[in-house]
Amino acid sequence: MTHANSSRIQKYIGDPLSDSPEVGREKLEEIFQDIQADIRFDHELNGCLNCGICTATCPAAYYYDFSPREIVQLLWTENLEGIYDAMQEKIWACAQCYTCAARCPFENSPGGLIMLMREAAIKHGMESAKNVLRPFSRVMLKLISTGNQLSPDMINADGFPDWGPNISKVDAPLKILRQAIPMPTLNTTATAWEVNLTTSVELYTIWEETGVLKQLETIDENLYDVILDIMDEKREDLEDWEDEQD
Ligand code: SF4
Ligand code: SF4
């Protein structure tokens, strides 16, 4: 990382992953305040002995240049430049397994704190968040438009080359196999199960009200536009269906 030696009194810090202008202290404070203002923050950070137990048990620390101890220390000491720096890359190494939370003698949750930092990275449209989430746009589109994350017809040799010869086990007459499932909502291949129209529209409302869609707009404007169109269409379909019932 290029900012490993950043001092706490540094006035500006650049984003090594983008051409954005350097970030001023006000912005650093705003980002930290967003993390700190979350209701979960005080439950997940109760002090830090700097003992390193979290890092010793962290699977991501084994494989990457990443340490939950370091992240917790940055937050505990309010090292704004270090926090911003960690949000450019390191926070995305966490596997969210929460082994650290089970082990910390202070009952901190480094994994939970990292989740807050990720949410702040998305809210502030950081390049790191865009880069990490971009490959998942197909899954996000599927999830938001159908209520399903993965559908049977997405599991194929092209989509999962890492499965090797095991992929042949799912390379079968899917339609027939799915129709054999006794639950009618599972007799589908384009979705994992059928989500009814009312539930879909209710989900859209939840995503709107909780700010999920706003966050998506920050990260991927094109995907956001596509999803808005799908939502409008489904809302109209629901209205038509309700009119028919009257
Ligand atoms: S977060 Fe907990 S386990 Fe990790 S260094 Fe601090 S006190 Fe130790
Ligand atoms: S939640 Fe993240 S930081 Fe904690 S042990 Fe798992 S991978 Fe490591």
Side-chain angles (χ1 to χ4, degrees):
M1 304 291 290
T2 52
H3 300 288
N5 298 321
S6 299
S7 117
R8 291 192 61 193
I9 54 163
Q10 190 175 327
K11 204 169 169 201
Y12 294 99
I13 185 167
D15 176 345
L17 296 182
S18 77
D19 297 327
S20 318
E22 291 181 329
V23 178
R25 184 139 198 101
E26 259 178 36
K27 183 72 180 169
L28 298 180
E29 277 168 5
E30 192 191 324
I31 290 170
F32 179 60
Q33 275 161 16
D34 278 339
I35 298 167
Q36 204 179 27
D38 192 287
I39 195 167
R40 292 163 287 178
F41 187 85
D42 285 341
H43 294 284
E44 294 175 347
L45 182 57
N46 305 302
C48 181
L49 278 173
N50 211 358
C51 65
I53 291 173
C54 51
T55 298
T57 58
C58 170
Y62 186 80
Y63 291 102
Y64 301 107
D65 174 21
F66 165 74
S67 156
R69 178 199 58 76
E70 182 192 342
I71 305 278
V72 173
Q73 278 289 313
L74 291 173
L75 292 167
W76 181 240
T77 59
E78 302 188 6
N79 181 333
L80 305 190
E81 292 82 10
I83 291 167
Y84 184 83
D85 185 32
M87 289 168 81
Q88 305 313 312
E89 187 174 340
K90 290 190 175 178
I91 57 166
W92 304 102
C94 169
Q96 291 288 297
C97 68
Y98 290 90
T99 309
C100 50
R103 299 280 190 276
C104 173
F106 265 61
E107 297 186 358
N108 293 331
S109 173
L113 292 165
I114 287 164
M115 180 56 82
L116 300 183
M117 293 167 83
R118 288 178 174 183
E119 288 176 13
I122 292 170
K123 181 179 172 189
H124 289 272
M126 285 186 183
E127 282 303 308
S128 66
K130 291 180 186 175
N131 289 342
V132 165
L133 295 175
R134 196 167 290 124
F136 296 100
S137 52
R138 187 175 169 213
V139 171
M140 280 200 280
L141 176 62
K142 191 88 177 168
L143 178 64
I144 291 185
S145 60
T146 69
N148 291 237
Q149 187 178 0
L150 199 67
S151 59
D153 65 5
M154 287 167 79
I155 304 172
N156 52 51
D158 288 341
F160 292 85
D162 52 317
W163 283 24
N166 286 329
I167 196 73
S168 65
K169 292 177 187 164
V170 292
D171 190 14
L174 270 182
K175 221 168 183 173
I176 296 169
L177 290 176
R178 297 286 292 182
Q179 276 165 3
I181 302 174
M183 299 267 293
T185 51
L186 297 179
N187 297 161
T188 59
T189 54
T191 54
W193 63 89
E194 258 172 34
V195 177
N196 78 33
L197 213 45
T198 312
T199 306
S200 292
V201 171
E202 283 172 356
L203 281 172
Y204 296 153
T205 307
I206 291 170
W207 288 326
E208 272 171 348
E209 296 296 320
T210 54
V212 170
L213 289 176
K214 197 83 208 135
Q215 289 189 341
L216 181 65
E217 188 182 11
T218 316
I219 292 298
D220 189 335
E221 216 170 319
N222 290 336
L223 182 61
Y224 172 77
D225 287 342
V226 171
I227 284 168
L228 278 200
D229 287 345
I230 294 171
M231 284 169 58
D232 286 347
E233 216 173 285
K234 287 219 175 178
R235 282 188 163 128
E236 277 170 25
D237 288 349
L238 181 63
E239 276 173 27
D240 291 346
W241 180 82
E242 284 169 343
D243 288 346
E244 278 171 26
Q245 306 311 304
D246 296 340

